[in-house]
Amino acid sequence: MSPTARRMLGLTATGPIIGSILAGHSAFAADGTPLSPTDQKIADDLESRIKEAGLGANLSGFVMDAESDREIFGNNASTALMPASNTKLATATAALTALGPDHRFTTRVVYGDGTLTLIGGGDRVLTTDDLSALAKTAADGLSAAGLTSVKVRVDDSLFPEPALATGWTDGYFPDVVSPVRPLVVDGNPVMDTSLDAGEVFAGLLADQGITTDGTVVRGTTAAGDVPVASHSSPPLSEIVKRMILNSDNNIAETLLRMTAIAAGQPATFEGGATAVRTVLSEEYDVPLDGVELFDGSGLSRSARIPATTLADLVDLLTDPRHKTVLGPILDGLPVAGETGTLGPGLGRFDTEPSICATGEVQAKTGTLTGALALSGLTVGQDGRWKVFSFVENGASADPADTKEVLDGLAATVNGCF
């Protein structure tokens, strides 16, 4: 049973009297028992600081004790807002569950009718060195057959159109996110990553003494094509860690499509969203009330997730039963003031009052115009893990100031502020 379900069960079992008590913030948890002194201080301080910051209705916030799954604090907690890159928590959870942390993505080269075809397999971390090894193996085979010239095409049919998601703006691509295709090299931010990879591959063939006949084109393989070479990506566990740490939009979108395939869905944005919802609800019993997904990265301005759901996703990381599968997400969560999108020089946890939480908070960031989010965990002053999620939409303050407020709220949960 999910944390939310357990909280609701506790509230239902205690009847309407407890429900009326919880209408306002009090010294009682959702199960009707008093909050501990540590948790009560967190609740009181958060209520005061959110009010001082003027966030109010702009903030969906939720804090829970990870061991007991008891609610400590809620502010519009079930209100679904734009989660920005906190969406990647859902994408990573579904991908690791559907594919497995040891899964690797394969890029292949086949030959037929005078043509080498480079086939995209969803490896978003493919490098020039990887392509170079493929080109050398292919060139050796061609030379052994007495061939010195070949046509080159790319097959990226694994992912159907559209390559752009609902809710993406023109300013996103190709720098913030590239149109989603299963073939890319070095993460090059271009509009057509498949043809770009094919051209790099053709150049590497030339370095091996094989010339390219004509330009690189897009096409599909034939049944009689002969396997020539293949390359396997690092394990999914490493790829997810990188995605979470650096909030890599392109990896997230590729993983959404590959998760769809693993779940038996079309490799589209819609198929990926369906696969994520199925995994979260059926495998982890995470409630999806108000959740609307349109991509894997959270760039879609149409996406909505409440703080309670995001907190439930983080809470899964504290459960030893899920460590083998979901551990890479926890390993990748940025550390306040130290790593990833919370690292030095990024204006996070580097001033009063949040600087006290440096090294003490791990959290996934989220940033869009008009939307900021921070969901993670920290050890409270009582030595127990606290899980939190704060999602802000539409605040009138400068985004940098709002980020400082969210960092301060996380420090409040830690108890150092």
Side-chain angles (χ1 to χ4, degrees):
M1 186 179 295
S2 73
T4 297
R6 285 194 290 271
R7 289 192 297 271
M8 291 304 296
L9 180 61
L11 179 58
T12 302
T14 54
I17 295 179
I18 295 300
S20 64
I21 291 175
L22 293 175
H25 263 295
S26 70
F28 291 90
D31 61 4
T33 59
L35 290 173
S36 69
T38 297
D39 291 347
Q40 187 60 53
K41 186 176 189 305
I42 292 173
D44 292 342
D45 288 347
L46 285 174
E47 185 170 14
S48 173
R49 287 160 187 168
I50 287 173
K51 187 178 298 182
E52 290 173 4
L55 294 178
N58 295 318
L59 183 78
S60 177
F62 186 76
V63 181
M64 63 188 291
D65 179 270
E67 183 176 339
S68 65
D69 290 330
R70 296 174 67 202
E71 177 180 341
I72 297 171
F73 175 82
N75 183 85
N76 300 316
S78 60
T79 300
L81 299 178
M82 262 191 297
S85 283
N86 274 208
T87 300
K88 294 183 177 74
L89 293 170
T91 303
T93 300
L96 286 166
T97 303
L99 293 162
D102 296 327
H103 185 84
R104 297 173 186 264
F105 305 108
T106 303
T107 304
R108 298 184 295 127
V109 179
V110 299
Y111 175 82
D113 194 25
T115 300
L116 279 179
T117 303
L118 181 64
I119 306 171
D123 181 359
R124 206 45 178 73
V125 298
L126 188 74
T127 67
T128 293
D129 286 344
D130 300 331
L131 276 187
S132 181
L134 289 173
K136 184 178 187 311
T137 300
D140 288 346
L142 291 171
S143 297
L147 299 174
T148 58
S149 179
V150 70
K151 295 179 180 179
V152 173
R153 68 184 173 194
V154 294
D155 183 345
D156 62 357
S157 59
L158 185 65
F159 294 173
E161 296 286 343
L164 305 177
T166 299
W168 286 5
T169 65
D170 291 344
Y172 286 169
F173 37 87
D175 294 329
V176 177
V177 67
S178 296
V180 186
R181 295 185 172 88
L183 181 60
V184 64
V185 61
D186 296 329
N188 289 343
V190 296
M191 290 299 291
D192 195 325
T193 61
S194 297
L195 289 179
D196 176 67
E199 289 166 0
V200 172
F201 180 65
L204 293 169
L205 285 172
D207 293 341
Q208 298 292 328
I210 303 296
T211 60
T212 301
D213 181 10
T215 60
V216 176
V217 297
R218 180 177 273 104
T220 56
T221 57
D225 286 350
V226 179
V228 172
S230 67
H231 169 78
S232 294
S233 73
L236 179 60
S237 57
E238 294 183 21
I239 296 173
V240 165
K241 179 178 178 180
R242 175 172 164 180
M243 177 189 74
I244 294 293
L245 184 68
N246 301 313
S247 201
D248 191 303
N249 297 316
N250 290 299
I251 290 178
E253 296 306 338
T254 300
L255 292 187
L256 184 75
R257 302 289 186 106
M258 299 307 291
T259 300
I261 293 172
Q265 295 289 332
T268 61
F269 291 108
E270 293 81 1
T274 298
V276 170
R277 296 181 70 93
T278 299
V279 169
L280 297 187
S281 61
E282 295 185 1
E283 298 295 330
Y284 300 106
D285 199 24
V286 173
L288 299 176
D289 295 341
V291 173
E292 298 181 46
L293 301 174
F294 294 89
D295 64 9
S297 62
L299 287 172
S300 175
R301 301 191 63 80
S302 300
R304 297 291 184 271
I305 305 179
T308 50
T309 299
L310 293 169
D312 279 348
L313 293 175
V314 175
D315 189 52
L316 293 174
L317 310 182
T318 70
D319 190 330
R321 295 174 299 173
H322 304 314
K323 180 175 176 58
T324 299
V325 175
L326 302 183
I329 303 175
L330 181 60
D331 293 341
L333 277 181
V335 178
E338 296 183 356
T339 63
T341 54
L342 291 178
L346 297 178
R348 305 302 298 260
F349 292 90
D350 59 357
T351 59
E352 297 293 347
S354 62
I355 195 170
C356 67
T358 297
E360 301 297 326
V361 167
Q362 280 186 269
K364 181 68 196 75
T365 57
T367 304
L368 283 177
T369 301
L372 295 171
L374 190 68
S375 299
L377 69 172
T378 184
V379 176
Q381 296 302 298
D382 56 3
R384 296 166 64 95
W385 284 105
K386 313 296 178 184
V387 169
F388 63 86
S389 178
F390 301 109
V391 184
E392 176 278 323
N393 281 188
S396 58
D398 183 281
D401 293 337
T402 303
K403 287 180 182 179
E404 289 186 9
V405 171
L406 297 187
D407 294 349
L409 297 181
T412 302
V413 176
N414 172 263
C416 66
F417 166 42

